[in-house]
């Protein structure tokens, strides 16, 4: 006969095995904007089920939606924030979506991870409690200059970003408005990232001319460093113009070796605007 102490001991072992397996942790804790790392290659589709997508094993992804069905939790992923090689199929169709179809959030598919250090140069989310007219839109894109153009829908600019799976992508002629990010002019894998104060240092094995890198080592994977400095300064853009503005775009300022960049972080809507 099993005594009370044996029963408690066996139950404890069962709980520990469940946590170690990962599925309990993922299912219980994953929320919108969580970061997950794929535990195996995932073959899936876009949300409209019109295009096939392959997300490799050990790819860090960001959750853009959650749903529950028959007691199980499913996630939709922001494919546009993954490197070009993964999101490329989405560029082959018109009126596509940047979101994947629903994938079950379990330990077989995903491991729950913290926000990667290479994304520490901006806030993934921001509370707008008490500010109902503000919408947070920061997406990791750093544009050269100081402010979003008022007529940005018809403009192109220089930008770079770091994908959720750890690649720096640089665009020398990028439209400001797009559904799926186009092919970058240059891409490099981030080998290491260090966050200290207002700086995020990204390390690369090779140099590239598009952005100013500092050589810090002669050998190894971390030979060149790119320092992103977050000034916490800001600018504002009146849309469509200062005389007839119905919205204001707020931009946060950055510098990289003396060159100014900004990130469009929030939209403020005026009272009475529909």
């Amino acid at each position: 006969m099993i005594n009370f102490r044996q029963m408690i001991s066996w139950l404890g072992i069962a709980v520990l095995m469940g946590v170690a397996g990962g599925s309990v942790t993922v299912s219980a804790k994953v929320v919108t904007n969580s970061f997950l790392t794929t535990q195996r290659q995932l073959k899936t589709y876009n949300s409209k089920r019109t295009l096939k997508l392959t997300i490799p094993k050990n790819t860090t992804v960001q959750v853009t939606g959650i749903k529950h069905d028959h007691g199980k939790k499913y996630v939709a992923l922001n494919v546009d924030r993954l490197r070009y090689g993964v999101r490329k199929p989405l560029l082959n169709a018109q009126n596509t979506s940047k979101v994947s179809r629903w994938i079950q959030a379990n330990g077989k598919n995903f491991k729950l991870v913290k926000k990667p250090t290479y994304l520490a140069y901006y806030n993934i989310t921001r509370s707008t409690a008490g500010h109902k007219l503000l919408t947070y839109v920061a997406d990791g894109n750093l544009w050269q200059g100081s402010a979003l153009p008022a007529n940005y829908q018809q403009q192109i600019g220089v930008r770079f970003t770091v994908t959720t799976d750890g690649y720096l992508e640089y665009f020398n002629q990028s439209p400001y408005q797009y559904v799926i990010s186009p092919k970058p002019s240059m891409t490099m894998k981030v080998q290491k990232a260090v966050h200290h104060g207002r700086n995020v240092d990204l390390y690369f094995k090779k140099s590239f001319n598009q952005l100013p890198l500092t050589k810090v080592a002669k050998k190894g994977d971390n030979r060149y460093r790119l320092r992103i400095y977050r000034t916490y300064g800001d600018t504002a853009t009146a849309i469509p113009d200062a005389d007839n503005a119905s919205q204001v775009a707020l931009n946060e300022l950055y510098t990289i070796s003396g060159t100014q960049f900004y990130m469009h972080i929030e939209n403020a809507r005026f009272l009475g605007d529909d």
Side-chain angles (χ1 to χ4, degrees):
M1 180 178 293
I2 300 174
N3 61 35
F4 180 75
R5 289 186 178 180
Q6 286 178 317
M7 184 179 296
I8 294 298
S9 176
W10 288 4
L11 286 172
I13 292 172
V15 170
L16 287 174
M17 289 177 65
V19 172
S23 59
V24 174
T25 302
V26 170
S27 179
K29 294 185 178 180
V30 65
V31 296
T32 301
N33 291 317
S34 288
F35 290 94
L36 308 172
T37 297
T38 55
Q39 296 292 83
R40 62 191 181 104
Q41 184 187 79
L42 299 178
K43 290 187 176 294
T44 184
Y45 293 85
N46 62 331
S47 61
K48 297 181 180 181
R49 295 183 63 89
T50 56
L51 289 171
K52 293 181 179 180
L53 294 169
T54 299
I55 304 178
K57 183 180 179 180
N58 295 324
T59 298
T60 298
V61 297
Q62 187 175 9
V63 175
T64 192
I66 300 284
K67 83 166 184 177
H68 295 84
D69 188 20
H70 295 91
K72 297 178 181 179
K73 182 180 285 187
Y74 294 82
V75 294
L77 308 176
N78 186 346
V79 182
D80 184 56
R81 291 290 291 126
L82 296 174
R83 67 183 182 273
Y84 172 71
V86 178
R87 70 176 184 272
K88 181 180 177 180
L90 297 179
L91 291 166
N92 297 329
Q94 295 180 347
N95 302 318
T96 187
S97 167
K98 65 182 181 181
V99 178
S100 75
R101 66 164 297 192
W102 297 107
I103 305 171
Q104 189 174 349
N106 57 26
K108 182 179 179 180
N109 292 330
F110 300 108
K111 177 183 178 182
L112 183 65
V113 296
K114 295 181 179 179
K115 175 184 174 181
T117 303
Y118 49 74
L119 299 181
Y121 63 95
Y122 76 106
N123 296 337
I124 300 297
T125 61
R126 177 179 294 177
S127 173
T128 55
H131 303 280
K132 294 183 179 180
L133 299 180
L134 292 179
T135 303
Y136 194 64
V137 296
D139 58 4
N141 282 312
L142 290 174
W143 298 85
Q144 189 169 333
S146 60
L148 181 74
N151 59 339
Y152 66 92
Q153 295 94 335
Q154 291 80 41
Q155 295 292 317
I156 59 173
V158 173
R159 73 172 168 101
F160 76 92
T161 190
V162 181
T163 64
T164 59
D165 52 341
Y167 287 78
L168 185 144
E169 295 188 337
Y170 178 90
F171 304 80
N172 57 21
Q173 288 188 317
S174 173
Y176 279 89
Q177 193 170 48
Y178 57 84
V179 176
I180 303 298
S181 185
K183 183 178 181 179
S185 308
M186 179 278 302
T187 183
M188 291 282 285
K189 181 175 176 57
V190 178
Q191 301 294 329
K192 184 178 78 168
V194 179
H195 181 207
H196 50 102
R198 297 186 178 189
N199 296 320
V200 173
D201 290 341
L202 306 178
Y203 291 84
F204 302 90
K205 188 173 183 178
K206 298 180 180 180
S207 183
F208 47 89
N209 297 327
Q210 291 87 344
L211 291 170
L213 275 71
T214 302
K215 189 172 184 178
V216 294
K218 294 182 179 180
K219 298 180 179 180
D221 292 336
N222 308 319
R223 302 181 195 183
Y224 297 90
R225 182 188 69 205
L226 179 72
R227 173 163 290 174
I228 303 174
Y229 177 70
R230 188 176 183 180
T231 71
Y232 286 98
D234 54 58
T235 59
T237 303
I239 299 174
D241 55 59
D243 295 329
N244 303 288
S246 60
Q247 296 185 55
V248 173
L250 304 179
N251 316 288
E252 191 169 69
L253 297 177
Y254 293 76
T255 58
I256 298 175
S257 295
T259 300
Q260 192 168 69
F261 286 79
Y262 69 92
M263 187 184 303
H264 177 204
I265 61 167
E266 280 180 302
N267 290 328
R269 183 167 56 87
F270 290 130
L271 285 169
D273 184 52
D274 295 329

